[in-house]
Amino acid sequence: MTDIDALIQAIPLPALLIGRDLRILAANADAAAVLGAPSIGGHVAMTLRQPDVLDAIEACRRTGAPSQARHRGDDAGQDANYDVSCTPLDGGVLVCLSDISRAMQTDRMRREFVANVSHELRTPLTALTGFIETLRGPARGDVAASDRFLAIMQDEAARMERLVQDLLSLSRVEGQERQRPKKSVDLGAIAGAVVSALGAVAEAAEVTLSSDLPDAPLYIPGDPDQLRQLCTNLIENAVKYGGQGGRVEVSVTPEAHHPALRGPAAILSVRDNGAGIDPIHIPRLTERFYRIDSHRSRQMGGTGLGLAIVKHIVSRHRGRLAIHSALGEGSEFRVALPMADAP
Ligand code: ADP
């Protein structure tokens, strides 16, 4: 191996060295993985076919100044994008590719998220603006209409507040995802407290809420506020989607050995006998703003973020979330949380 070959192989990016006659002098294994095996001694256009990339290489060789281009590849059916940097070297050009697909995907997700949030906020905001105009115009002095409109406005403002609260929770949980919770908390006591707190909500929805909790404390390493929120989101959903006349059962049980967690776990199960969920939706339910029926979710005061928050809380606790459901058969949301820190 010549020095130049050894140097190219040592570059931790796909890299090729192009001579002043635009023939490939050397290429490393990463370049071969991205571009297919380049033919050493062959013209660079046989390996890098994209006109922008070839123009950048040619410009760098001609002017002796660095240049950049974007290479669009196809990596196992997925779009792969690379920044190509051309650096003049000894009359030729050193070409390095850096994979920016992940950064582009993150960027797209961020844009989609902002678009979704704006859309969610715009709906109540439009309603509020409309009612304010009506109250200042046609309904001025009409006490009955004012009362009715103010009640709707209060609901819309509450919806905006819930959305902002859920967004803040989501961002907090995401920010802490890598910090494992340290406190030792009794999952049974937390679930019991949430069941009691939601008793009135269940009663108002005409849903029977019952629980089966262990007599002895069931300690797990956890974040008490987040576990309270997890229980609240799952039980509220079961009450909301379980429907009038429904039954919601909450249980906490220890499991000596959970196969996926490879150790003892505490299992929280929230089961309803509502309409159930078509299996095609199940894998996407924990995505932000994913709803099966947006209209129904909004009518129930949902923000579309509840299960996304649950997913992040479970993940911070290194647990597992399983959703079992079939249409017409109700749903069970089962969370397994490790009872001890992994070694
Ligand atoms: P939302 O605020 O809309 O309730 P979530 O993230 O909590 O948002 O839930 C996402 C979607 O999952 C809901 O819109 C609903 O379609 C579905 N879903 C959640 N829990 C249940 C349940 N217990 N039964 C049926 N569908 C459910």
Side-chain angles (χ1 to χ4, degrees), residues 166 233-234 237-242 272 274-277 285-287 289-294 296-298 301-308 325 330-331 333:
D166 277 358
N233 290 5
L234 292 180
N237 274 354
V239 170
K240 275 193 306 193
Y241 301 107
D272 67 66
I277 303 165
L285 286 187
T286 57
E287 285 176 21
F289 297 117
Y290 188 86
R291 294 145 156 145
I292 298 169
D293 178 344
S294 305
R296 178 149 187 240
S297 152
R298 288 206 183 87
T303 61
L305 293 174
L307 291 179
S325 186
S331 311
F333 287 72

Side-chain angles (χ1 to χ4, degrees), residues 9 52 77-78 87 138 161 175 204 214 227 230 234 276 282 285 296 333:
Q9 292 301 343
D52 290 355
Q78 300 249 343
T87 315
E161 193 176 323
L227 292 174
L230 177 145
L234 292 180
I282 291 180
L285 286 187
R296 178 149 187 240
F333 287 72

